Amino acid sequence: MHRSGAAMAWNVFKFCTALRGLGSIMILLVLGVVGVTYYAVVVTNYFPALQFGASFESSLVAFLVLLLFHCLLAMLLWSYFSVVLTDPGSVPPSWRPSVDEERGETEPLAGSEYNGAVMGVQQSMAIGDPTNMRVRYCRKCNQLKPPRCHHCSVCGRCILKMDHHCVWVVNCVGALNYKYFLLFLFYTFLETTVVTLSLLPHFIAFFTDGEIPGTPGSLATTFLAFVLNLAFALSVLGFLIMHISLVAGNTTTIEAYEKKTTPKWRYDLGRTKNFEQVFGTDKKYWFIPGYSEEDLRRMPALQGLEYPSKPDLDSQEF
């Protein structure tokens, strides 16, 4: 049993190491798909149609496609690199749990109280006593964890309100970049849908008897771009629908799995408030990867350390 457990731990370690190594490769892969798509839509098909359109209508369609394509591409890349470059949120060294967990007060633990809390949780974990487990503790980081915080084996640290580790963005998705990740999904779906529809007539032409203008290389690129964008549009749509439901319930992928047998959720404050805890209250910032200074100042949930909850469900341990 010990040897099999050690082997499993070693396999997990190798898997996490492999995910770390995928970093720059996945970014290059994303940029490669963008490059192929750009060449097929702009260089091969619609920019020439804009320059040498047979009619005003065809030139107008080409202009509108190019305008929409470039606007969505700019938002997609802005959101993507915001997810890649933004730290998802780590436990600050100065963070201390509130005495509220034990005595119903609101001052953070300090000094001997904090050390006593750590020792109490460690002892409870050692003997399997759940009575003192409301202050959560990470065995790997050897530190207390804020609410909704989980350890990521790939990053090797605890992530605030962790949702999952995404190989496509080479980063964890957590409290500080979850909105950017959702916007990345949203603009990816819109962009791939626009590309699929704009290349559909050219794709259908492959299966007709008429002669298709273009070099073999440009035709192959158009075919590949259509297939790739159709596949991404369908897969991202399913992923986007799943995350919309998670936002509506104010939960994460990890929490949805942990509470799958729990009928009520302490952080579910209604769809409007749940949405605001991810996107903020300022509507001008809902569709861009950022927050207003006012929202950052008055909404602790955006910082990933404090979350409003239902008082009657505060005993839930998540």
Side-chain angles (χ1 to χ4, degrees), residues 25-306:
I25 297 176
M26 298 306 294
I27 294 178
L28 291 176
L29 179 60
V30 170
L31 295 179
V33 173
V34 171
V36 169
T37 301
Y38 193 92
Y39 183 82
V41 174
V42 179
V43 179
T44 300
N45 292 292
Y46 283 94
F47 187 70
L50 180 64
Q51 286 185 309
F52 312 108
S55 64
F56 173 77
E57 289 78 9
S58 62
S59 297
L60 179 61
V61 170
F63 172 77
L64 294 176
V65 169
L66 290 173
L67 178 63
L68 185 59
F69 174 84
H70 283 92
C71 289
L72 291 176
L73 180 61
M75 296 306 299
L76 186 158
L77 292 176
W78 184 10
S79 301
Y80 177 71
F81 283 105
S82 294
V83 185
V84 172
L85 300 175
T86 301
D87 190 288
S90 299
V91 183
S94 59
W95 181 82
R96 297 292 185 269
S98 297
V99 187
D100 176 68
E101 300 286 347
E102 296 285 335
R103 300 197 296 263
E105 300 174 8
T106 57
E107 292 299 322
L109 293 172
S112 60
E113 285 185 319
Y114 172 73
N115 294 331
V118 173
M119 293 180 62
V121 173
Q122 290 175 330
Q123 291 173 0
S124 297
M125 293 173 65
I127 65 177
D129 178 14
T131 58
N132 192 35
M133 292 296 291
R134 295 203 41 203
V135 179
R136 301 164 67 243
Y137 186 82
C138 178
R139 296 173 185 264
K140 298 178 180 178
C141 295
N142 293 318
Q143 65 179 10
L144 299 180
K145 296 194 295 185
R148 314 186 74 177
C149 178
H150 292 83
H151 186 87
C152 176
S153 299
V154 181
C155 295
R157 58 192 174 111
C158 285
I159 303 297
L160 301 178
K161 196 187 176 186
M162 178 180 172
D163 187 88
H164 69 289
H165 186 93
C166 181
V167 295
W168 289 99
V169 302
V170 201
N171 199 0
C172 266
V173 177
L176 305 187
N177 64 354
Y178 184 51
K179 175 188 175 182
Y180 310 158
F181 176 75
L182 294 177
L183 291 176
F184 168 58
L185 292 181
F186 176 68
Y187 288 118
T188 297
F189 172 69
L190 293 181
E191 177 78 329
T192 53
T193 300
V194 167
V195 172
T196 300
L197 294 177
S198 64
L199 294 182
L200 181 59
H202 304 277
F203 180 78
I204 295 176
F206 282 105
F207 303 96
T208 62
D209 296 330
E211 183 178 351
I212 306 174
T215 65
S218 64
L219 296 178
T221 304
T222 298
F223 187 92
L224 177 62
F226 175 85
V227 173
L228 284 176
N229 280 272
L230 176 62
F232 276 114
L234 294 176
S235 59
V236 170
L237 175 60
F239 208 43
L240 185 59
I241 291 174
M242 183 192 78
H243 278 279
I244 289 174
S245 67
L246 292 177
V247 172
N250 199 0
T251 187
T252 65
T253 302
I254 294 176
E255 290 169 346
Y257 174 79
E258 289 180 337
K259 70 178 182 68
K260 57 185 177 182
T261 58
T262 304
K264 295 182 179 180
W265 179 232
R266 64 181 294 191
Y267 298 110
D268 186 358
L269 306 177
R271 293 183 179 180
T272 300
K273 291 187 178 298
N274 294 344
F275 177 86
E276 290 175 351
Q277 285 196 24
V278 176
F279 286 85
T281 59
D282 194 332
K283 297 179 181 179
K284 297 191 299 293
Y285 287 81
W286 280 358
F287 294 99
I288 64 174
Y291 296 99
S292 67
E293 294 184 2
E294 177 68 17
D295 278 348
L296 290 174
R297 183 170 60 253
R298 68 185 187 84
M299 296 184 67
L302 299 181
Q303 306 296 335
L305 293 172
E306 301 177 24

